[in-house]
Structure formats: C-alpha cells, structure tokens
Amino acid sequence: MTNPKGYRRGTRDMFSRAYKKKGVEHLSTYLKIYKIGDIVDIKGCGAFQKGMPHKSYHGKTGRVFNVSKAAVGVVVNKRVKGKILPKRVSVRIEHIKHSQCRKDFLDRVHANEVKKKEMKATGKTTICKRFPCEPRPGHVVSTKDNEPQVIGPIPYEFIA
C-alpha cells in the first residue's frame, strides 16, 4: 500500500484533543475579542472541522488582518522551498488564541514606565536596561569529614 496523500495525513496526534480536554468547547473561546493587528497563535482543534487551518499552519504565529463574524484572517509566514512567503489564512476562532509572545516585553515596558515616573518624582537615576545574570561566586569545598568518592563503571558479572 502506498503512502496516504490526503489533506489531513499525519495529523493523528496534531489535531487530537489533550487528556481531559475533550468535549464541548468553553464559551470563553467565543467571547474573546480579536482586533486587527493582534498577534495570535494558530492551533487546530480536532473537535471542529469547520474553518480548520491546514496542518502546515498548526503552531504558527501571525497577525490578524481581517475580522468577520465567526472567523479571523491571519497573515502567517510560510517557508516554501528557499523563500518565506506571507500567507493569508482564514481561520475560525476555535482554532486560534491570543499569543503570549509579547507579554514579557509589554510587562517590562510597563515596569520601566513606573520606574521613570518614580525617577522624575524623586530626582534619582535608575537603570532600565536588562543585564545578563552574572556567574555564581566561587567557593572552596572542604574535604574534612568529606572524603572524595571515585566514580567508575561497575564490572560486568555473568550470573548463570
């Protein structure tokens, strides 16, 4: 038998619902508000076949360019041979969710704004830049009452 060539081939695990997540979709999925310019993650939900994205868009992040009654248009980058093409995909809202990719950045911007307001009020300067964490400080390990152990492989014993 030859390999299958169907539209949904190789998606047994991709579109399957997680353990204890099967059944009716929560209403909060339908009550979320999507605006043009929002960043969303595409994740196909196997419980709904209508408006499902192709498997090549599963797990991709894109930007909303169109909002309709039950679906959302998303611009997603797709690699085709050597090029990366912006593709416009229409996906129903069961298969997308707001992306958390900019959450850390926006939190940091908000924290920096608070620091700047405090800085203007008090007149002291604060640093808003990020710095990489420094290496841990050096220390000495005492061998008193702490004998070093030699670690080696256990010899093979044939048991008949």
Side-chain angles (χ1 to χ4, degrees), residues 45-96:
C45 177
F48 305 94
Q49 285 79 41
K50 271 192 169 183
M52 183 183 274
H54 188 263
K55 63 187 176 187
S56 61
Y57 301 110
H58 183 81
K60 299 281 189 286
T61 301
R63 200 172 278 269
V64 174
F65 75 90
N66 182 32
V67 179
S68 65
K69 191 172 62 162
V72 168
V74 183
V75 178
V76 183
N77 286 337
K78 182 181 180 186
R79 191 171 151 269
V80 181
K81 296 184 182 170
K83 302 181 294 253
I84 296 176
L85 303 174
K87 305 284 279 189
R88 290 174 173 249
V89 186
S90 186
V91 184
R92 279 179 76 121
I93 53 176
E94 293 97 346
H95 307 289
I96 62 170

Short mmCIF file of all heavy atoms in Angstrom, two decimals, residues 45-96:
data_model
loop_
_atom_site.label_atom_id
_atom_site.label_comp_id
_atom_site.label_asym_id
_atom_site.label_seq_id
_atom_site.Cartn_x
_atom_site.Cartn_y
_atom_site.Cartn_z
N CYS A 45 -7.97 22.68 16.29
CA CYS A 45 -8.71 21.92 17.30
C CYS A 45 -9.51 20.84 16.56
O CYS A 45 -10.36 21.15 15.74
CB CYS A 45 -9.62 22.85 18.08
SG CYS A 45 -10.64 22.01 19.28
N GLY A 46 -9.23 19.57 16.86
CA GLY A 46 -9.84 18.46 16.13
C GLY A 46 -11.32 18.30 16.35
O GLY A 46 -11.98 17.59 15.60
N ALA A 47 -11.89 18.94 17.37
CA ALA A 47 -13.32 18.80 17.64
C ALA A 47 -14.16 19.60 16.64
O ALA A 47 -15.35 19.37 16.52
CB ALA A 47 -13.63 19.26 19.06
N PHE A 48 -13.54 20.55 15.95
CA PHE A 48 -14.26 21.40 15.00
C PHE A 48 -13.58 21.30 13.64
O PHE A 48 -12.44 21.71 13.49
CB PHE A 48 -14.26 22.86 15.46
CG PHE A 48 -14.80 23.04 16.84
CD1 PHE A 48 -13.96 23.05 17.93
CD2 PHE A 48 -16.16 23.16 17.04
CE1 PHE A 48 -14.47 23.20 19.20
CE2 PHE A 48 -16.67 23.31 18.31
CZ PHE A 48 -15.83 23.32 19.40
N GLN A 49 -14.31 20.74 12.66
CA GLN A 49 -13.72 20.60 11.34
C GLN A 49 -13.91 21.85 10.48
O GLN A 49 -13.16 22.09 9.57
CB GLN A 49 -14.31 19.38 10.62
CG GLN A 49 -13.79 18.06 11.14
CD GLN A 49 -14.47 17.65 12.43
OE1 GLN A 49 -15.67 17.81 12.58
NE2 GLN A 49 -13.70 17.13 13.37
N LYS A 50 -14.92 22.65 10.81
CA LYS A 50 -15.17 23.86 10.02
C LYS A 50 -14.10 24.89 10.31
O LYS A 50 -13.72 25.11 11.47
CB LYS A 50 -16.53 24.45 10.38
CG LYS A 50 -17.68 23.93 9.56
CD LYS A 50 -18.89 24.79 9.79
CE LYS A 50 -19.98 24.45 8.79
NZ LYS A 50 -21.14 25.32 8.96
N GLY A 51 -13.62 25.54 9.28
CA GLY A 51 -12.66 26.63 9.44
C GLY A 51 -11.34 26.21 10.02
O GLY A 51 -10.62 27.03 10.58
N MET A 52 -11.00 24.94 9.87
CA MET A 52 -9.73 24.44 10.41
C MET A 52 -8.59 24.81 9.47
O MET A 52 -8.73 24.71 8.25
CB MET A 52 -9.80 22.93 10.59
CG MET A 52 -8.57 22.31 11.21
SD MET A 52 -8.69 20.54 11.32
CE MET A 52 -9.54 20.36 12.85
N PRO A 53 -7.46 25.26 10.01
CA PRO A 53 -6.33 25.59 9.14
C PRO A 53 -5.64 24.32 8.63
O PRO A 53 -5.79 23.25 9.21
CB PRO A 53 -5.39 26.37 10.06
CG PRO A 53 -5.69 25.84 11.41
CD PRO A 53 -7.15 25.50 11.42
N HIS A 54 -4.89 24.46 7.55
CA HIS A 54 -4.09 23.34 7.05
C HIS A 54 -3.02 23.00 8.07
O HIS A 54 -2.58 23.85 8.85
CB HIS A 54 -3.45 23.71 5.71
CG HIS A 54 -2.78 22.56 5.04
ND1 HIS A 54 -1.43 22.35 5.14
CD2 HIS A 54 -3.27 21.55 4.28
CE1 HIS A 54 -1.11 21.26 4.46
NE2 HIS A 54 -2.20 20.76 3.92
N LYS A 55 -2.60 21.73 8.08
CA LYS A 55 -1.63 21.27 9.09
C LYS A 55 -0.31 22.04 9.04
O LYS A 55 0.40 22.12 10.04
CB LYS A 55 -1.36 19.79 8.92
CG LYS A 55 -0.74 19.45 7.58
CD LYS A 55 -0.64 17.97 7.38
CE LYS A 55 -0.09 17.68 5.99
NZ LYS A 55 -0.13 16.28 5.65
N SER A 56 0.03 22.65 7.89
CA SER A 56 1.29 23.39 7.80
C SER A 56 1.26 24.68 8.60
O SER A 56 2.31 25.24 8.91
CB SER A 56 1.62 23.69 6.34
OG SER A 56 0.62 24.50 5.78
N TYR A 57 0.05 25.17 8.96
CA TYR A 57 -0.07 26.40 9.75
C TYR A 57 -0.23 26.12 11.24
O TYR A 57 -0.29 27.04 12.03
CB TYR A 57 -1.25 27.24 9.26
CG TYR A 57 -1.14 27.62 7.81
CD1 TYR A 57 -1.97 27.06 6.86
CD2 TYR A 57 -0.18 28.52 7.39
CE1 TYR A 57 -1.86 27.40 5.53
CE2 TYR A 57 -0.06 28.87 6.06
CZ TYR A 57 -0.91 28.30 5.13
OH TYR A 57 -0.79 28.64 3.82
N HIS A 58 -0.32 24.85 11.62
CA HIS A 58 -0.51 24.47 13.02
C HIS A 58 0.72 24.87 13.84
O HIS A 58 1.85 24.51 13.50
CB HIS A 58 -0.75 22.97 13.12
CG HIS A 58 -1.02 22.48 14.50
ND1 HIS A 58 -2.26 22.57 15.08
CD2 HIS A 58 -0.22 21.92 15.43
CE1 HIS A 58 -2.21 22.06 16.30
NE2 HIS A 58 -0.98 21.66 16.52
N GLY A 59 0.50 25.63 14.89
CA GLY A 59 1.61 26.06 15.75
C GLY A 59 2.28 27.34 15.30
O GLY A 59 3.24 27.79 15.93
N LYS A 60 1.79 27.96 14.24
CA LYS A 60 2.40 29.19 13.73
C LYS A 60 1.78 30.41 14.40
O LYS A 60 0.65 30.37 14.87
CB LYS A 60 2.22 29.30 12.21
CG LYS A 60 2.85 28.17 11.42
CD LYS A 60 4.34 28.39 11.27
CE LYS A 60 4.96 27.40 10.32
NZ LYS A 60 5.11 26.07 10.83
N THR A 61 2.54 31.49 14.43
CA THR A 61 2.07 32.75 14.99
C THR A 61 1.94 33.76 13.88
O THR A 61 2.82 33.86 13.02
CB THR A 61 3.06 33.26 16.05
OG1 THR A 61 3.18 32.26 17.08
CG2 THR A 61 2.58 34.54 16.69
N GLY A 62 0.84 34.51 13.88
CA GLY A 62 0.63 35.51 12.84
C GLY A 62 -0.10 36.72 13.37
O GLY A 62 -0.43 36.80 14.56
N ARG A 63 -0.38 37.65 12.46
CA ARG A 63 -1.03 38.91 12.82
C ARG A 63 -2.39 38.99 12.14
O ARG A 63 -2.52 38.66 10.96
CB ARG A 63 -0.14 40.07 12.37
CG ARG A 63 -0.43 41.37 13.07
CD ARG A 63 0.59 42.40 12.72
NE ARG A 63 1.81 42.29 13.50
CZ ARG A 63 2.01 42.93 14.65
NH1 ARG A 63 1.08 43.69 15.15
NH2 ARG A 63 3.15 42.80 15.28
N VAL A 64 -3.40 39.42 12.88
CA VAL A 64 -4.77 39.50 12.36
C VAL A 64 -4.87 40.64 11.37
O VAL A 64 -4.47 41.77 11.65
CB VAL A 64 -5.77 39.71 13.53
CG1 VAL A 64 -7.17 39.92 12.99
CG2 VAL A 64 -5.74 38.53 14.48
N PHE A 65 -5.43 40.35 10.15
CA PHE A 65 -5.64 41.39 9.16
C PHE A 65 -7.12 41.59 8.85
O PHE A 65 -7.50 42.59 8.26
CB PHE A 65 -4.87 41.11 7.87
CG PHE A 65 -5.45 40.03 7.02
CD1 PHE A 65 -6.39 40.31 6.04
CD2 PHE A 65 -5.06 38.70 7.18
CE1 PHE A 65 -6.93 39.31 5.24
CE2 PHE A 65 -5.58 37.70 6.40
CZ PHE A 65 -6.53 38.01 5.43
N ASN A 66 -7.96 40.64 9.26
CA ASN A 66 -9.38 40.75 8.97
C ASN A 66 -10.18 40.04 10.06
O ASN A 66 -9.77 38.99 10.54
CB ASN A 66 -9.69 40.09 7.62
CG ASN A 66 -11.14 40.20 7.24
OD1 ASN A 66 -11.80 41.17 7.60
ND2 ASN A 66 -11.66 39.20 6.55
N VAL A 67 -11.29 40.64 10.47
CA VAL A 67 -12.15 40.03 11.48
C VAL A 67 -13.56 39.95 10.92
O VAL A 67 -14.12 40.95 10.48
CB VAL A 67 -12.15 40.86 12.79
CG1 VAL A 67 -13.07 40.23 13.82
CG2 VAL A 67 -10.76 41.00 13.34
N SER A 68 -14.14 38.74 10.92
CA SER A 68 -15.53 38.56 10.47
C SER A 68 -16.34 38.00 11.64
O SER A 68 -15.85 37.93 12.76
CB SER A 68 -15.59 37.65 9.25
OG SER A 68 -15.15 36.36 9.59
N LYS A 69 -17.57 37.56 11.36
CA LYS A 69 -18.48 37.15 12.43
C LYS A 69 -17.95 35.94 13.21
O LYS A 69 -17.97 35.94 14.43
CB LYS A 69 -19.84 36.84 11.82
CG LYS A 69 -20.94 36.65 12.84
CD LYS A 69 -22.28 36.54 12.16
CE LYS A 69 -22.32 35.33 11.25
NZ LYS A 69 -23.69 34.92 10.90
N ALA A 70 -17.50 34.91 12.50
CA ALA A 70 -17.08 33.68 13.17
C ALA A 70 -15.63 33.32 12.89
O ALA A 70 -15.13 32.33 13.42
CB ALA A 70 -17.98 32.52 12.75
N ALA A 71 -14.95 34.09 12.05
CA ALA A 71 -13.59 33.74 11.66
C ALA A 71 -12.69 34.97 11.70
O ALA A 71 -13.16 36.09 11.87
CB ALA A 71 -13.57 33.14 10.26
N VAL A 72 -11.41 34.70 11.57
CA VAL A 72 -10.39 35.75 11.63
C VAL A 72 -9.39 35.48 10.52
O VAL A 72 -9.00 34.34 10.28
CB VAL A 72 -9.69 35.71 13.01
CG1 VAL A 72 -8.45 36.57 13.02
CG2 VAL A 72 -10.62 36.15 14.10
N GLY A 73 -8.99 36.53 9.80
CA GLY A 73 -7.94 36.40 8.80
C GLY A 73 -6.59 36.67 9.44
O GLY A 73 -6.42 37.66 10.15
N VAL A 74 -5.63 35.78 9.19
CA VAL A 74 -4.32 35.88 9.83
C VAL A 74 -3.24 35.83 8.76
O VAL A 74 -3.30 35.01 7.84
CB VAL A 74 -4.11 34.71 10.82
CG1 VAL A 74 -2.79 34.84 11.53
CG2 VAL A 74 -5.24 34.63 11.83
N VAL A 75 -2.25 36.73 8.87
CA VAL A 75 -1.08 36.69 7.98
C VAL A 75 0.00 35.88 8.68
O VAL A 75 0.41 36.22 9.79
CB VAL A 75 -0.56 38.11 7.67
CG1 VAL A 75 0.67 38.04 6.80
CG2 VAL A 75 -1.62 38.93 7.01
N VAL A 76 0.43 34.78 8.04
CA VAL A 76 1.41 33.87 8.62
C VAL A 76 2.57 33.71 7.64
O VAL A 76 2.35 33.63 6.43
CB VAL A 76 0.78 32.48 8.89
CG1 VAL A 76 1.76 31.55 9.55
CG2 VAL A 76 -0.45 32.61 9.74
N ASN A 77 3.79 33.66 8.14
CA ASN A 77 4.93 33.39 7.28
C ASN A 77 5.06 31.89 7.09
O ASN A 77 5.05 31.12 8.05
CB ASN A 77 6.22 33.93 7.90
CG ASN A 77 6.30 35.44 7.80
OD1 ASN A 77 5.66 36.04 6.94
ND2 ASN A 77 7.07 36.05 8.66
N LYS A 78 5.20 31.48 5.81
CA LYS A 78 5.35 30.06 5.49
C LYS A 78 6.58 29.89 4.62
O LYS A 78 6.77 30.64 3.66
CB LYS A 78 4.10 29.56 4.76
CG LYS A 78 4.15 28.08 4.43
CD LYS A 78 2.89 27.67 3.69
CE LYS A 78 2.92 26.19 3.36
NZ LYS A 78 1.79 25.80 2.53
N ARG A 79 7.40 28.90 4.96
CA ARG A 79 8.60 28.65 4.19
C ARG A 79 8.26 27.73 3.02
O ARG A 79 7.77 26.62 3.23
CB ARG A 79 9.68 28.01 5.06
CG ARG A 79 11.02 27.97 4.40
CD ARG A 79 12.09 27.54 5.39
NE ARG A 79 13.15 26.87 4.65
CZ ARG A 79 13.20 25.56 4.43
NH1 ARG A 79 12.26 24.78 4.90
NH2 ARG A 79 14.20 25.04 3.74
N VAL A 80 8.49 28.20 1.80
CA VAL A 80 8.25 27.41 0.59
C VAL A 80 9.56 27.34 -0.16
O VAL A 80 10.03 28.34 -0.69
CB VAL A 80 7.15 28.05 -0.29
CG1 VAL A 80 6.91 27.21 -1.52
CG2 VAL A 80 5.89 28.25 0.50
N LYS A 81 10.16 26.15 -0.16
CA LYS A 81 11.49 25.93 -0.74
C LYS A 81 12.48 26.90 -0.11
O LYS A 81 12.74 26.80 1.08
CB LYS A 81 11.44 26.01 -2.26
CG LYS A 81 10.59 24.90 -2.85
CD LYS A 81 10.59 24.89 -4.32
CE LYS A 81 9.66 23.79 -4.82
NZ LYS A 81 9.42 23.86 -6.23
N GLY A 82 13.01 27.87 -0.84
CA GLY A 82 14.01 28.75 -0.25
C GLY A 82 13.47 30.08 0.23
O GLY A 82 14.19 30.89 0.78
N LYS A 83 12.16 30.31 0.01
CA LYS A 83 11.59 31.62 0.31
C LYS A 83 10.67 31.55 1.52
O LYS A 83 10.14 30.49 1.84
CB LYS A 83 10.77 32.11 -0.90
CG LYS A 83 11.56 32.20 -2.19
CD LYS A 83 10.69 32.71 -3.32
CE LYS A 83 9.60 31.74 -3.66
NZ LYS A 83 9.76 31.02 -4.89
N ILE A 84 10.49 32.67 2.17
CA ILE A 84 9.49 32.79 3.24
C ILE A 84 8.40 33.72 2.73
O ILE A 84 8.65 34.91 2.49
CB ILE A 84 10.12 33.32 4.53
CG1 ILE A 84 11.14 32.32 5.07
CG2 ILE A 84 9.05 33.59 5.57
CD1 ILE A 84 11.89 32.79 6.28
N LEU A 85 7.21 33.17 2.53
CA LEU A 85 6.11 33.92 1.94
C LEU A 85 5.06 34.28 2.99
O LEU A 85 4.70 33.43 3.80
CB LEU A 85 5.43 33.09 0.84
CG LEU A 85 6.33 32.59 -0.28
CD1 LEU A 85 5.55 31.66 -1.19
CD2 LEU A 85 6.88 33.75 -1.07
N PRO A 86 4.57 35.53 2.99
CA PRO A 86 3.45 35.85 3.89
C PRO A 86 2.15 35.30 3.30
O PRO A 86 1.76 35.68 2.20
CB PRO A 86 3.46 37.38 3.92
CG PRO A 86 4.14 37.79 2.67
CD PRO A 86 5.06 36.70 2.26
N LYS A 87 1.51 34.39 4.01
CA LYS A 87 0.27 33.76 3.54
C LYS A 87 -0.90 34.29 4.34
O LYS A 87 -0.79 34.46 5.55
CB LYS A 87 0.35 32.24 3.71
CG LYS A 87 1.56 31.59 3.06
CD LYS A 87 1.41 31.48 1.58
CE LYS A 87 0.59 30.28 1.22
NZ LYS A 87 0.60 30.03 -0.24
N ARG A 88 -2.02 34.53 3.68
CA ARG A 88 -3.23 34.99 4.35
C ARG A 88 -4.17 33.81 4.52
O ARG A 88 -4.59 33.19 3.54
CB ARG A 88 -3.89 36.10 3.53
CG ARG A 88 -3.07 37.37 3.55
CD ARG A 88 -3.63 38.41 2.62
NE ARG A 88 -2.89 39.65 2.82
CZ ARG A 88 -3.42 40.74 3.37
NH1 ARG A 88 -4.65 40.75 3.76
NH2 ARG A 88 -2.68 41.81 3.52
N VAL A 89 -4.46 33.49 5.78
CA VAL A 89 -5.27 32.31 6.10
C VAL A 89 -6.51 32.76 6.85
O VAL A 89 -6.42 33.58 7.77
CB VAL A 89 -4.46 31.34 6.99
CG1 VAL A 89 -5.22 30.05 7.21
CG2 VAL A 89 -3.10 31.06 6.41
N SER A 90 -7.66 32.21 6.46
CA SER A 90 -8.90 32.49 7.18
C SER A 90 -9.17 31.32 8.12
O SER A 90 -9.29 30.18 7.68
CB SER A 90 -10.05 32.67 6.20
OG SER A 90 -11.20 33.08 6.89
N VAL A 91 -9.25 31.61 9.40
CA VAL A 91 -9.36 30.55 10.42
C VAL A 91 -10.50 30.90 11.36
O VAL A 91 -10.64 32.06 11.77
CB VAL A 91 -8.04 30.45 11.23
CG1 VAL A 91 -8.11 29.32 12.22
CG2 VAL A 91 -6.86 30.28 10.33
N ARG A 92 -11.30 29.91 11.73
CA ARG A 92 -12.35 30.15 12.73
C ARG A 92 -11.74 30.32 14.11
O ARG A 92 -10.65 29.82 14.38
CB ARG A 92 -13.37 29.02 12.72
CG ARG A 92 -14.37 29.19 11.57
CD ARG A 92 -15.35 28.06 11.54
NE ARG A 92 -16.36 28.17 12.59
CZ ARG A 92 -17.66 28.25 12.36
NH1 ARG A 92 -18.11 28.26 11.13
NH2 ARG A 92 -18.51 28.31 13.35
N ILE A 93 -12.49 30.99 14.99
CA ILE A 93 -11.91 31.38 16.29
C ILE A 93 -11.68 30.20 17.23
O ILE A 93 -10.98 30.35 18.23
CB ILE A 93 -12.76 32.46 16.98
CG1 ILE A 93 -14.21 32.03 17.08
CG2 ILE A 93 -12.63 33.77 16.27
CD1 ILE A 93 -15.07 33.02 17.83
N GLU A 94 -12.25 29.02 16.93
CA GLU A 94 -11.96 27.85 17.76
C GLU A 94 -10.51 27.41 17.61
O GLU A 94 -9.97 26.73 18.48
CB GLU A 94 -12.86 26.67 17.37
CG GLU A 94 -14.32 26.88 17.67
CD GLU A 94 -15.09 27.36 16.45
OE1 GLU A 94 -14.47 27.78 15.46
OE2 GLU A 94 -16.34 27.32 16.52
N HIS A 95 -9.89 27.80 16.51
CA HIS A 95 -8.54 27.31 16.19
C HIS A 95 -7.45 28.34 16.46
O HIS A 95 -6.30 28.12 16.06
CB HIS A 95 -8.49 26.88 14.73
CG HIS A 95 -9.56 25.91 14.36
ND1 HIS A 95 -9.58 24.61 14.79
CD2 HIS A 95 -10.69 26.07 13.61
CE1 HIS A 95 -10.66 24.00 14.32
NE2 HIS A 95 -11.35 24.87 13.61
N ILE A 96 -7.77 29.47 17.09
CA ILE A 96 -6.73 30.46 17.39
C ILE A 96 -6.85 30.92 18.84
O ILE A 96 -7.88 30.73 19.48
CB ILE A 96 -6.81 31.70 16.46
CG1 ILE A 96 -8.13 32.43 16.63
CG2 ILE A 96 -6.57 31.33 15.03
CD1 ILE A 96 -8.16 33.77 15.95
#
